[in-house]
């Protein structure tokens, strides 16, 4: 920040675990200031106030959700970060765009077609765009895949086979918290898979046109837990004797950040972060298979498993000149009762998974021996390094004066990966069409859901 300049004033909406990354990132950048924190829970706001204090920043104003729209202008806010419950994103994105703020929203952009149309219409009316935090675009391994494909390494891509595996540590976590209710998260096809659908859209330079799929709740939930024998009789883990040695239980009291953000905050809103994954009221699927057709003519088979013994993903691209194969092993296996090592996400937070493996990218050209593609240094923490690189593009480096020429070039190149509201809608529409197909048993045209 130059002498005499005034930092841009930001508000962080939603002060859960993921929001910590944004609060701390803004606090580390001199040209930005967290001027306000907006959340219905004052205990969680207090946790973020402590993060600001630790960063040497002044205390932020505490807003209730009802105050948000009025105080945007009254408090002269220029930057808005939306990290609240997915189904509420549009309630903050729309007024922030209308107030002329620069808006960054966590993925997914929203959770249904009507809310998506509302956001897109507001962008058209105001001319003010927003960025969607698809951090996987900034993962160096994924950028190398993009370079290989866009450089013609396998010619025209005709088909994609994509398998994503969430292990029983990470996958189970979606079934303990609000994500287990589709009305709040849109289900894993929207909340989780929007990451993956965005990657494929970006990798192929394509738009999804038709989706067919099957989805079921086959591992988690009461019925499945009783069938498998995994269910134990408790509603939530804290204070439950039956949860003490349950490998599917989360003990909030073990971790300072989780205790502060959730256990200590229960008195303000009654939210339980540690519910039984084999309990009642789960309305999302845990096993999903899709077939997607794109406007380029390419097709994708996609499978998301939320109860795997190992964590990672495989993506294979078949083209007119060969095949590209990516495998990333984020965890070879998970021991039971590992404990909660981080309060910034059970997986992909500030620490890598236990027993983390590595990435491999193989190129198999026609009529040539297969070869390994050299990959940059890889760290599983922070979404493979994507979080920090995304933050640098969205908000600038922490210390611009210390940025090297190479870093500046990298940031410039990465800026072309920044996802807009159109990208957010294109990732969302595949998940929404999948959810419709699960119910109808028929293919769904994305144009009949929403048109970005």
């Amino acid at each position: 920040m130059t002498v005499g300049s005034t930092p841009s004033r930001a508000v962080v909406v939603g002060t859960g675990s993921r929001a910590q990354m944004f609060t701390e990132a803004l606090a580390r950048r001199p040209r930005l200031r967290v001027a306000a924190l907006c959340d219905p829970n004052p205990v969680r706001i207090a946790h973020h106030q402590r993060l600001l204090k630790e960063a040497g920043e002044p205390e932020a104003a505490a807003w209730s959700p009802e105050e948000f729209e009025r105080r945007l202008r009254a408090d002269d806010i220029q930057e808005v970060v939306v990290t609240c419950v997915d189904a509420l994103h549009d309630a903050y994105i729309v007024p922030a765009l209308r107030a002329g703020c620069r808006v960054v929203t966590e993925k997914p952009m929203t959770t249904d077609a009507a809310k998506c149309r509302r956001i897109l219409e507001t962008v058209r009316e105001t001319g003010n765009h927003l960025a969607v935090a698809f951090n996987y675009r900034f993962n160096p391994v994924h950028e190398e895949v993009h370079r290989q494909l866009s450089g013609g390494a396998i010619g025209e891509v005709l088909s994609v086979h994509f398998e994503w595996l969430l292990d029983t540590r990470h996958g189970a976590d979606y079934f303990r918290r609000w994500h287990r209710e589709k009305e709040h998260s849109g289900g894993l096809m929207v909340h989780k898979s929007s990451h993956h659908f965005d990657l494929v859209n970006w990798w192929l330079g394509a738009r999804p046109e038709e989706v067919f799929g099957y989805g079921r709740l086959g591992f988690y939930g009461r019925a499945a837990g009783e069938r498998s024998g995994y269910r134990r009789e408790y509603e939530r883990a804290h204070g439950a004797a039956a949860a003490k040695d349950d490998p599917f239980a989360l003990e909030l009291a073990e971790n300072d950040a989780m205790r502060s953000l959730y256990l200590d905050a229960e008195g303000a809103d009654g939210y339980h972060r540690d519910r039984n994954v084999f309990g009642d009221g789960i309305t999302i699927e845990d096993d999903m298979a899709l077939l997607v057709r794109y406007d380029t003519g390419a097709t994708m088979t996609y499978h998301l498993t939320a109860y795997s013994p190992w964590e990672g993903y495989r993506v294979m691209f078949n083209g007119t000149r060969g095949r590209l194969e990516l495998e990333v092993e984020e965890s070879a296996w998970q021991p039971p009762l590992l404990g909660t090592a981080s309060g910034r996400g059970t997986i992909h937070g500030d620490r890598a998974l236990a027993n983390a493996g590595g990435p491999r990218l193989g190129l198999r050209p026609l009529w040539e021996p297969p070869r390994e593609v050299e990959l940059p240094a890889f760290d599983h923490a922070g979404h493979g390094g994507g979080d920090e690189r995304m933050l640098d593009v969205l908000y600038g480096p922490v210390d611009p004066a210390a940025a090297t020429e190479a870093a500046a070039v990298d940031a410039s190149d990465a800026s072309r990966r920044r996802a807009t509201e159109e990208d957010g809608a294109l990732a969302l529409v595949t998940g929404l069409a999948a959810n419709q197909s699960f119910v109808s048993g028929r293919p769904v045209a994305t144009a009949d859901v929403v048109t970005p």
Side-chain angles (χ1 to χ4, degrees), residues 376-397:
F378 185 80
D379 182 356
H380 287 285
H383 294 88
D387 282 341
E388 283 302 318
R389 298 179 79 225
M390 178 187 71
L391 291 167
D392 283 348
V393 168
L394 291 175
Y395 298 113

Side-chain angles (χ1 to χ4, degrees), residues 282-350:
I282 297 174
T283 56
I284 66 173
E285 300 83 7
D286 56 30
D287 192 292
M288 295 135 278
L290 302 186
L291 177 62
V292 183
R293 178 173 55 81
Y294 294 87
D295 62 352
T296 60
T299 58
M300 174 178 70
T301 55
Y302 173 85
H303 203 118
L304 176 65
T305 302
Y307 52 89
S308 170
W310 72 281
E311 174 105 3
Y313 48 103
R314 299 186 180 105
V315 195
M316 286 76 75
F317 305 86
N318 294 307
T320 55
R321 296 186 181 277
R323 178 177 168 98
L324 188 68
E325 300 174 338
L326 171 67
E327 178 172 303
V328 179
E329 186 180 60
E330 296 183 328
S331 167
W333 67 285
Q334 283 294 319
L337 307 177
L338 185 63
T340 306
S342 172
R344 284 163 169 74
T346 305
I347 310 295
H348 298 309
D350 56 341

Side-chain angles (χ1 to χ4, degrees), residues 77-341:
I77 298 297
Q78 291 92 39
E79 305 266 353
V80 174
V81 183
V82 180
T83 64
C84 60
V85 171
D86 299 345
L88 300 177
H89 283 187
D90 68 306
Y92 300 97
I93 291 170
V94 168
L97 290 172
R98 287 177 176 158
C101 299
R102 180 171 177 264
V103 184
V104 174
T105 182
E106 256 298 345
K107 61 82 194 163
M109 187 171 73
T110 187
T111 55
D112 66 40
K115 292 171 181 177
C116 182
R117 284 192 290 270
R118 182 174 179 233
I119 291 169
L120 296 175
E121 287 166 2
T122 303
V123 168
R124 286 191 286 268
E125 290 168 5
T126 63
N128 194 12
H129 297 270
L130 73 147
V132 183
F134 283 129
N135 47 17
Y136 269 128
R137 288 187 175 211
F138 298 89
N139 179 315
V141 172
H142 299 158
E143 291 185 352
E144 182 59 38
V145 170
H146 188 272
R147 278 190 287 271
Q148 292 289 324
L149 296 176
S150 61
I154 62 169
E156 179 189 355
V157 178
L158 302 180
S159 67
V160 182
H161 305 284
F162 198 151
E163 178 185 31
W164 199 285
L165 299 163
L166 300 170
D167 67 24
T168 47
R169 180 171 170 79
H170 186 191
D173 207 41
Y174 294 106
F175 296 84
R176 299 184 185 109
R177 43 188 168 134
W178 56 262
H179 302 77
R180 69 197 244 152
E181 297 155 351
K182 192 170 283 191
E183 65 176 303
H184 294 139
S185 67
L188 290 178
M189 287 285 94
V190 169
H191 176 82
K192 182 62 180 175
S193 298
S194 61
H195 259 321
H196 317 151
F197 301 149
D198 175 69
L199 277 177
V200 175
N201 294 344
W202 175 58
W203 279 330
L204 301 187
R207 299 166 69 96
E209 286 193 334
E210 189 173 63
V211 180
F212 174 71
Y214 292 108
R216 65 181 295 214
L217 181 65
F219 186 86
Y220 300 105
R222 176 185 286 272
E226 290 177 346
R227 190 171 63 246
S228 65
Y230 287 131
R231 175 174 164 80
R232 301 192 185 189
E233 293 298 328
Y234 64 90
E235 289 299 316
R236 49 89 56 96
H238 183 67
K244 290 299 182 185
D245 61 347
D246 182 2
F248 292 97
L250 173 68
E251 181 48 70
L252 297 172
E254 289 181 352
N255 181 274
D256 290 342
M258 297 293 277
R259 184 191 307 110
S260 174
L261 282 168
Y262 299 108
L263 191 59
D264 294 349
E266 288 178 2
D269 59 14
Y271 173 60
H272 291 165
R273 173 67 175 77
D274 59 346
R275 286 179 284 180
N276 189 340
V277 301
F278 300 107
D280 296 313
I282 297 174
T283 56
I284 66 173
E285 300 83 7
D286 56 30
D287 192 292
M288 295 135 278
L290 302 186
L291 177 62
V292 183
R293 178 173 55 81
Y294 294 87
D295 62 352
T296 60
T299 58
M300 174 178 70
T301 55
Y302 173 85
H303 203 118
L304 176 65
T305 302
Y307 52 89
S308 170
W310 72 281
E311 174 105 3
Y313 48 103
R314 299 186 180 105
V315 195
M316 286 76 75
F317 305 86
N318 294 307
T320 55
R321 296 186 181 277
R323 178 177 168 98
L324 188 68
E325 300 174 338
L326 171 67
E327 178 172 303
V328 179
E329 186 180 60
E330 296 183 328
S331 167
W333 67 285
Q334 283 294 319
L337 307 177
L338 185 63
T340 306

Side-chain angles (χ1 to χ4, degrees), residues 20 24 27 47-58 344:
Q20 295 174 108
E24 293 176 328
H47 176 90
H48 282 252
Q49 299 282 27
R50 289 192 290 274
L51 297 179
L52 292 174
K53 183 178 181 180
E54 290 168 6
E57 288 291 290
R344 284 163 169 74

